[in-house]
Amino acid sequence: MAPEADLSSPQARRRAKTDARLRDALAGLAGNPSTEPTVAALARAAGVGRNIIYTHHAGVLDALRALQSQRAGANETAAGQANRTRSDLRDAEARNTALATHNASLLKRAVDAEQRAERLERRNAQLVQELDRIRRPVPIRPSAEAHDPSAV
């Protein structure tokens, strides 16, 4: 609305009403993030032609451009945040893959160590049996008397 406008003429009152409708429609566009803030959308919402906005309502047009730049900045910020989130996700997936690989190698080492321990326990049992067999007392008998076939 023009500052200190004379509302005595019908044209001034019509321009003031149109300006009020445009500002209400602009507030509606600003409150609805799913609607793109364009001159056409503003004109549709206010029920006026686009040329009226360009020719007689420069203040509303400036406010619309400010809303567009604000949304563009918000979109860039959201896109930047989305890119950072995607990058963080890729990094986390790479770390997860590296950890899974490391865990698999540790599991293989543990299984190999268990198998080796079982083999060594079996070998130890064999060696203990052999030591027991070697340490058993052997009866000493005279070889000539015991096996003389003519003595019988």
Side-chain angles (χ1 to χ4, degrees):
M1 196 178 333
E4 303 298 323
D6 181 19
L7 298 179
S8 61
S9 69
Q11 292 86 5
R13 285 192 298 271
R14 185 173 54 236
R15 184 177 285 179
K17 286 180 185 178
T18 303
D19 191 71
R21 286 185 6 217
L22 285 169
R23 293 202 182 271
D24 288 343
L26 184 61
L29 285 177
N32 187 358
S34 64
T35 304
E36 189 69 26
T38 62
V39 174
L42 178 62
R44 262 193 313 275
V48 298
R50 289 181 307 185
N51 288 340
I52 297 295
I53 297 170
Y54 289 117
T55 57
H56 298 292
H57 299 282
V60 174
L61 189 58
D62 291 340
L64 178 66
R65 288 184 179 140
L67 177 62
Q68 288 172 336
S69 66
Q70 176 187 3
R71 290 247 180 112
N75 288 343
E76 288 174 7
T77 302
Q81 180 63 31
N83 287 338
R84 284 190 296 278
T85 302
R86 283 187 203 98
S87 175
D88 291 345
L89 179 61
R90 282 191 298 272
D91 291 344
E93 287 172 344
R95 285 193 304 271
N96 193 22
T97 301
L99 286 173
T101 302
H102 184 68
N103 285 344
S105 69
L106 290 176
L107 178 62
K108 176 150 179 30
R109 287 176 57 192
V111 168
D112 290 347
E114 288 175 354
Q115 290 173 347
R116 185 169 185 245
E118 288 175 13
R119 281 195 309 271
L120 291 174
E121 286 175 1
R122 285 194 303 269
R123 180 64 179 146
N124 186 40
Q126 290 172 349
L127 291 174
V128 167
Q129 287 177 351
E130 189 175 333
L131 272 176
D132 285 345
R133 187 180 50 80
I134 291 173
R135 289 182 180 163
R136 279 190 207 129
V138 177
I140 299 177
R141 52 186 172 146
S143 59
E145 293 175 12
H147 284 306
D148 189 18
S150 61
V152 179

